[in-house]
């Protein structure tokens, strides 16, 4: 056996190391800074701890906190420290699972009977976590034969269940990340003489001292395995970062996000409400909110009307046979409302619009000359969301999708996708978004429908559309639905949060299930490809995202009240109403607040209600047909602006959607 091994680095270079060298040794050989920053390694594509011996010829990447993988590891390891702290403070606690999530981590626990956690306990738990970090306890990996693991974790009911599922080959994603697979179960130990142990596949940071920039945030309830028939556990959420600066920046963003919460803004600005009498996830729209919604929908209708789409409408429910044929009752029934029986037939409220659009296509024989056939509907749908998952307009039980379904030939896929993506981005830009990230999801490894050649062609069509758009995107290998690949488009809002909004998805399943055909140019019968496209996602969710993006200060073209005119005194009231009538005749949304309250109070109210423009008129304005302009976001009002000039400015702002 050679005393020297050769290790390849991601840049193609190689390093000669002594046999038995670890990834930590490799990092030290590259430089002291990397050795200090190293968290884990990726060896031949697999993540490992730093102390695992390397093999000759291995390709090794050292992972540091600045990478997504590094942050993921920090959050995973911090979840273990959270569990350790809870167990120290509440010794009879049963631990369930504790994965990393976007921006942080959580751990599900079950305290002893009579004990419960509240948010008042988080500071105490956090203090104990910081003590564990300060102790710089090493994370030490151990492996056990599956036959021994059951006895080793016998006192831990949730870990025992995970072991049983993993070794029985029935593990979900959470299980496999917490335990292992097959004949071996791994766990990590730290603390005094390794007194704390937590079943996990790892890897983890070398020691708890590499952590510390975290904050516990909330306590919530969570059913074990998400099953309402299983025990209700307590879930402690936290956020973790690689530096104090990143942590503080994220916490500040959360403060800003709280100010922008669309549920609070909707109430303060009198836009939308959620009466208890309606039930969770169901909203009523007030006049101002409904007006903004109308403007959104009008813009959408106009773009579709001039974009080659044909408008259709469909009912809110249908017989069960439709959902049986579409497959929704096979794979989506848990998210559907229960049926209503009438005349011996079950009717279901629709969770999707797609089967109805299929019915439109199938209503007559189609020719290749009619394709692509682009159908569009603002269609209301109803989906049963667990009450704990409902979140204002962002996660509703009843909502309206700006749903399009395009039926095209295989040959048209590439052209149609490129056109669709351009259409999507142009509409999103019109609403003020300009920072996009896309995800291309490809064919799942497991069961999927459709020919491999068609999948490859469709996926390459999606990829080509993304490439030609210049849009940044990532590839989610195997992340497509069983019936086709897709593109998801995320937007970043004003405070940097990403929202998944638009989707373009290819479907080979419904055309097959409903036996759709068209007559090709050679007279043969062929099956069309179906493209699903939701641009807003849902009108409700898009409205909620817009409300948070603008913090309620809608741009002038979307604002329910664009201009408010304030006469200084009662003597100026007739002039104020005269100007209001003139501006309304030009198509603007204008109101007048007469001089009942002091002027300063009325100006402040206009700012609180986030109006784009507040106009003040006094003696000089009446004499000269001018106005004083208070524009939102500016400190000093502008005096002596003619009504014609203001009208022209506002008209340009509205037409440009600036």
């Amino acid at each position: 056996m050679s005393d020297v091994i050769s290790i390849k680095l991601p840049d193609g270079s190689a390093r000669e190391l002594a046999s038995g060298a670890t990834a930590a040794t490799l990092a030290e050989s590259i430089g002291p800074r990397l050795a200090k920053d190293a968290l884990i390694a990726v060896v031949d594509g697999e993540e490992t701890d730093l102390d695992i011996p390397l093999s000759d010829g291995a390709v090794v990447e050292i992972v540091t906190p600045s990478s997504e993988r590094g942050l993921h590891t920090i959050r995973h390891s911090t979840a273990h420290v959270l569990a350790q702290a809870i167990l120290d403070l509440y010794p009879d606690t049963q631990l369930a699972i504790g994965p990393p999530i976007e921006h942080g981590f959580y751990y599900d626990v079950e305290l002893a009977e009579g004990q419960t956690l509240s948010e008042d306990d988080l500071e105490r738990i956090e203090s104990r976590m910081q003590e564990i970090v300060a102790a710089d306890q090493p994370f030490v990996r151990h492996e056990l034969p599956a036959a021994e693991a059951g006895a080793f974790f016998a006192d831990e009911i949730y870990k025992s269940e995970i072991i049983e599922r993993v070794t029985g080959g029935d593990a979900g994603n959470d299980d496999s990340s917490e335990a292992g697979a097959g004949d071996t179960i791994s766990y990590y130990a730290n603390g005094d003489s390794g007194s704390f142990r937590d079943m996990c596949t790892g890897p983890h940071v070398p020691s708890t001292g590499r952590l510390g920039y975290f904050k516990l945030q909330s306590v919530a309830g969570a059913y074990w395995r998400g099953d309402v028939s299983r025990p209700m556990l307590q879930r402690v959420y936290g956020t973790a970062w690689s530096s104090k600066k990143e942590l503080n920046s994220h916490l500040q963003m959360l403060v800003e996000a709280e100010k922008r919460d669309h549920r609070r803004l909707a109430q303060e600005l009198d836009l939308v409400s959620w009466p208890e009498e309606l039930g969770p996830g169901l909203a009523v729209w007030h006049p101002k909110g409904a007006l903004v919604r109308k403007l959104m929908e009008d813009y959408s209708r106009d773009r579709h009307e001039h974009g080659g789409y044909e408008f259709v409408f469909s009912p809110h429910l249908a017989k069960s046979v439709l959902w049986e044929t579409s497959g929704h009752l096979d794979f989506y029934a848990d998210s559907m409302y229960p049926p209503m029986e009438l005349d011996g037939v079950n009717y279901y409220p629709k969770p999707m619009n797609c089967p109805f659009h299929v019915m439109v296509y199938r209503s007559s024989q189609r020719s290749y000359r009619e394709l692509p056939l682009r159908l569009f509907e603002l269609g209301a749908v109803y989906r049963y969301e667990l009450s704990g998952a409902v979140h204002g307009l962002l996660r509703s039980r009843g909502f309206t999708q700006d749903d399009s379904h395009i039926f095209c030939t295989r040959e048209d896929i590439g052209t149609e996708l490129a056109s669709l993506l351009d259409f999507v981005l142009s509409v999103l830009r019109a609403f003020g978004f300009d920072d996009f990230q896309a995800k291309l999801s490809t064919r799942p490894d497991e069961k999927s429908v459709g020919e491999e050649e068609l999948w490859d062609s469709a996926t390459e069509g999606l990829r080509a559309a993304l490439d030609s758009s210049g849009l940044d995107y990532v590839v989610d290998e195997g992340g497509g639905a069983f019936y086709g690949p897709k593109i998801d488009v995320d937007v970043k809002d004003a405070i940097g949060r990403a929202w998944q909004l638009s989707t373009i998805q290819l479907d080979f399943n419904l055309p097959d299930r409903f036996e759709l055909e068209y007559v090709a140019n050679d007279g043969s019968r062929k099956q069309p490809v179906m493209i699903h496209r939701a641009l807003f996602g849902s009108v409700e969710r898009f409205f909620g995202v817009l409300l948070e993006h603008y913090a309620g200060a809608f741009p002038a073209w979307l604002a329910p009240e664009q201009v408010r005119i304030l006469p200084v005194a009662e003597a100026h009231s007739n002039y104020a109403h005269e100007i209001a009538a003139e501006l309304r005749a030009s198509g603007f949304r204008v109101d007048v607040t007469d001089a009942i309250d002091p002027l300063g109070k009325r100006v402040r109210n206009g700012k609180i209600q986030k109006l784009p423009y507040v106009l003040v008129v006094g003696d000089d304005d009446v004499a000269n047909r001018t106005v004083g302009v208070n524009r939102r976001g500016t400190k000093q009002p502008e005096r002596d602006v003619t009504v014609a000039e203001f009208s022209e400015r506002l008209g340009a702002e509205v037409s440009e959607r600036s």
Side-chain angles (χ1 to χ4, degrees), residues 174-190:
D174 284 340
D175 291 346
S176 60
S177 66
E178 290 295 321
D183 299 328
T184 302
I185 299 296
S186 58
Y187 71 92
Y188 282 76
N190 55 288

Side-chain angles (χ1 to χ4, degrees), residues 335-352:
S335 296
M336 294 173 66
Y337 272 87
M340 298 170 279
E341 185 178 345
L342 184 66
D343 298 330
V345 177
N346 282 336
Y347 288 79
Y348 285 86
K350 64 175 177 179
M352 307 277 188

Side-chain angles (χ1 to χ4, degrees), residues 588-617:
F588 302 122
R589 298 182 289 280
V590 187
D591 199 2
V592 177
T593 301
D594 288 314
I596 298 172
D597 292 320
L599 179 62
K601 180 178 180 181
R602 287 180 287 149
V603 171
R604 283 193 300 275
N605 285 341
K607 291 181 178 179
I608 290 170
Q609 293 173 37
K610 303 179 185 288
L611 303 179
Y613 289 98
V614 174
L615 306 185
V616 178
V617 294

Side-chain angles (χ1 to χ4, degrees), residues 28-153:
E28 290 168 3
S29 75
I30 295 172
R33 177 64 183 270
L34 184 61
K36 180 181 178 182
D37 288 346
L39 296 178
I40 62 171
V42 179
V43 180
D44 295 329
E46 296 291 329
E47 293 183 356
T48 71
D49 296 302
L50 290 175
D51 59 359
I52 301 297
L54 302 175
S55 301
D56 185 44
V59 178
V60 182
E61 175 190 355
I62 303 298
V63 176
T64 64
S66 61
S67 67
E68 284 299 317
R69 262 189 165 134
L71 271 177
H72 183 89
T73 305
I74 286 171
R75 290 163 181 161
H76 191 182
S77 301
T78 306
H80 279 239
V81 172
L82 167 61
Q84 183 179 356
I86 292 174
L87 204 57
D88 286 347
L89 297 172
Y90 305 90
D92 295 325
T93 297
Q94 289 282 342
L95 302 179
I97 59 172
I101 55 176
E102 185 180 19
H103 304 315
F105 58 92
Y106 69 78
Y107 215 108
D108 288 346
V109 299
E110 183 179 55
L111 271 64
E113 187 174 352
Q115 293 183 325
T116 186
L117 293 176
S118 72
E119 298 198 2
D120 293 337
D121 298 310
L122 296 184
E123 185 175 347
R124 179 172 174 238
I125 298 170
E126 200 173 284
S127 295
R128 177 59 191 138
M129 291 175 69
Q130 291 291 1
E131 292 173 357
I132 295 169
V133 168
D136 197 21
Q137 301 169 1
F139 282 101
V140 181
R141 180 184 175 89
H142 300 270
E143 293 187 355
L144 284 173
E148 298 177 18
F152 191 74
F153 286 97

Side-chain angles (χ1 to χ4, degrees), residues 461-572:
L462 290 170
R463 195 188 305 272
L466 287 167
D467 289 338
S468 65
S469 73
L471 195 61
D472 289 335
Y473 69 94
V474 296
V475 179
D476 180 14
E477 296 290 353
F482 74 93
Y483 49 82
K486 65 175 180 172
I487 293 174
D488 292 317
V489 178
D490 292 358
V491 301
K492 281 193 176 178
D493 69 8
I495 58 174
R497 296 174 299 176
W499 300 90
Q500 195 277 305
L501 294 179
S502 307
T503 298
I504 299 172
Q505 187 151 6
L506 275 77
D507 187 350
F508 320 131
N509 179 54
L510 287 184
D512 185 56
R513 281 179 172 267
F514 285 97
E515 300 179 344
L516 302 187
E517 292 182 338
Y518 68 92
V519 179
N521 58 0
D522 62 359
S524 63
R525 301 296 179 97
K526 293 186 177 181
Q527 191 174 90
V529 175
M530 185 175 177
I531 304 175
H532 302 250
R533 195 239 59 200
L535 200 159
F536 290 160
S538 82
V539 174
E540 287 78 0
R541 187 170 186 274
F542 195 79
F543 179 94
V545 172
L546 280 179
L547 191 53
E548 297 202 7
H549 174 58
Y550 288 114
F554 288 112
W557 78 277
L558 273 178
E561 184 180 346
Q562 296 168 319
V563 182
R564 182 173 295 177
I565 304 175
L566 309 180
V568 173
E570 186 177 349
H572 313 118

